[in-house]
Amino acid sequence: MNRLSVDCDCDGNPAEPDMHDIGILSSTDPVALDQACIDLVYSAEDGAALIKRIESRNGLHTLEHADEIGLGSRQYQLVMLDE
């Protein structure tokens, strides 16, 4: 989670990042990984612009549906390896 911008990585001309780097996350469960990323953005002091973009695009719906159809779980345990 570095160089976080309100635009998708797929955007050919994305907005400049406006959040601090959060770190590297890893999981064997892609849904849990995405949920952890969302939770960290929501708890970041400088996450307002990205949160607004996520909510304006119903971004949490994807995670909710992925959990419902069994692609993974939104439950996770965050383990810090280095601070």
Side-chain angles (χ1 to χ4, degrees), residues 18-82:
D18 63 350
M19 283 188 68
H20 69 283
D21 292 347
I22 294 177
I24 298 170
L25 283 77
S26 178
S27 177
T28 58
D29 183 335
V31 179
L33 180 63
D34 281 353
Q35 184 64 58
C37 290
I38 288 292
D39 291 344
L40 289 169
V41 167
Y42 271 75
S43 67
E45 291 180 18
D46 55 353
L50 185 51
I51 292 168
K52 183 177 179 182
R53 179 64 61 97
I54 290 166
E55 292 179 353
S56 73
R57 306 292 194 275
N58 297 311
L60 300 179
H61 177 72
T62 303
L63 285 175
E64 293 164 353
H65 187 67
D67 186 33
E68 288 172 10
I69 65 172
L71 290 179
S73 172
R74 294 176 67 192
Q75 301 298 313
Y76 64 90
Q77 179 182 1
L78 192 61
V79 178
M80 304 296 282
L81 299 178
D82 186 60

